[in-house]
Amino acid sequence: MSDVTPPEDLEMTIDLGARREVVEAAYAEHGAAGTVPEETLEVTPRRARPAVAEDSPIAGGYHLRPLAWADITRVAALEVELFGASAWTMGMLTEELRGRGRWYIAAQPDGEGVPAPLVGYAGLWFDGDSCHLMTIGVDPRVAGHGLGGAMLDALIERAREIDAISLLLEVAVDNERAIAMYTSRGFTTIGLRKRYYQPEDVDAYTMQLPLREGAAGS
C-alpha cells in the first residue's frame, strides 16, 4: 500500500455546488482542487429505515459530510474489507481524490465522543457533461440501514445541482442488492462491460439515470 501523503493545504474535493462555468473557474484558480463546503449535508429521510440495534455505531443517528484527507486511512481499510483484491490502494485513493471534478462525502455517526469512525463513503466525477458514480462503500456492520441509499441520493442531488446531463455507473452483474438500489432511484441498464472487474474477472452493467430531457442512452 502506498504511503503517499497529500500536501496539507490541498483540499480533497471540488465544490460542485455551482454550475460548470464556476467549476472551471475554480480549476483555474486552485488547480486540480477547489473548496469543500464546511456545512453538514442534510440527510433527508426519503424512505422508512429499518430499526438499528442499540449497540450499532449509528444507533444515535448519522450525518453526511465532505470527506476529509484525515479519512483516507479509514477509507482504504474499508476498501479492502469490502472489495478485496480489487480494492483501491492508498496511492490510488490519493490520486482519485486529487482529480478534477471529484466530490466525495462520508457518513459519520452522530453523538459527542462517538468512538466509531466513518461508516460509509461515496463520490462522483463530473466530466463537464455527465457525472460518473465512482464508488459507494458502507461498513458491513451497518449495512441494510439506508446509508448507501442516503449517499446515493446526495450524489444524485449534487449532479442535478450542477446541471449534469446524466449520472452513470458500473455495477457487478452479480451485485443484486446494489442493482436493486440503483433501479429504485430510476437507473436503467444501457450496456454490459465484459470482464470489467479485475482480478475477479466479473462483468459489469453500465447503468444511467437521465437528468435532462432526451438524455437517455447518451
Side-chain angles (χ1 to χ4, degrees):
M1 186 172 290
S2 170
D3 59 357
V4 175
T5 302
E8 292 183 359
D9 61 348
L10 180 64
E11 297 285 3
M12 177 168 290
T13 58
I14 280 283
D15 177 5
L16 295 181
R19 290 181 180 269
R20 190 167 148 193
E21 294 81 5
V22 179
V23 174
E24 290 299 326
Y27 292 162
E29 182 178 358
H30 299 288
T35 58
V36 178
E38 294 295 331
E39 72 275 8
T40 297
L41 301 173
E42 182 180 355
V43 180
T44 304
R46 302 188 179 187
R47 293 167 177 77
R49 293 173 180 166
V52 179
E54 291 185 2
D55 60 350
S56 168
I58 59 170
Y62 68 93
H63 60 274
L64 302 184
R65 60 166 174 80
L67 195 69
W69 279 118
D71 298 320
I72 195 168
T73 300
R74 169 63 174 161
V75 171
L78 277 177
E79 276 282 310
V80 173
E81 185 173 1
L82 293 168
F83 304 116
S86 62
W88 286 353
T89 65
M90 189 80 82
M92 293 166 68
L93 283 166
T94 300
E95 291 306 309
E96 166 62 20
L97 297 172
R98 279 175 165 163
R100 288 187 171 189
R102 268 64 173 183
W103 190 74
Y104 275 76
I105 56 176
Q108 179 72 37
D110 288 334
E112 293 185 8
V114 174
L118 68 86
V119 289
Y121 58 96
L124 56 74
W125 165 48
F126 178 50
D127 67 9
D129 291 310
S130 291
C131 284
H132 303 259
L133 192 153
M134 303 304 289
T135 188
I136 290 184
V138 174
D139 187 325
R141 286 164 284 279
V142 294
H145 293 291
L147 271 73
M151 291 189 293
L152 177 59
D153 289 340
L155 298 185
I156 293 171
E157 182 177 354
R158 182 62 70 172
R160 292 187 188 280
E161 287 176 354
I162 60 173
D163 201 26
I165 295 172
S166 63
L167 180 57
L168 297 158
L169 61 85
E170 276 78 34
V171 59
V173 296
D174 57 357
N175 192 341
E176 295 181 0
R177 175 180 285 187
I179 293 170
M181 179 177 69
Y182 297 138
T183 301
S184 73
R185 266 64 175 186
F187 285 84
T188 58
T189 301
I190 62 170
L192 176 68
R193 304 189 71 171
K194 302 291 290 184
R195 305 175 64 185
Y196 180 78
Y197 291 102
Q198 296 296 330
E200 296 91 341
D201 213 28
V202 174
D203 298 344
Y205 292 126
T206 297
M207 302 187 74
Q208 180 191 54
L209 175 66
L211 301 175
R212 290 193 213 161
E213 186 177 352
S218 60

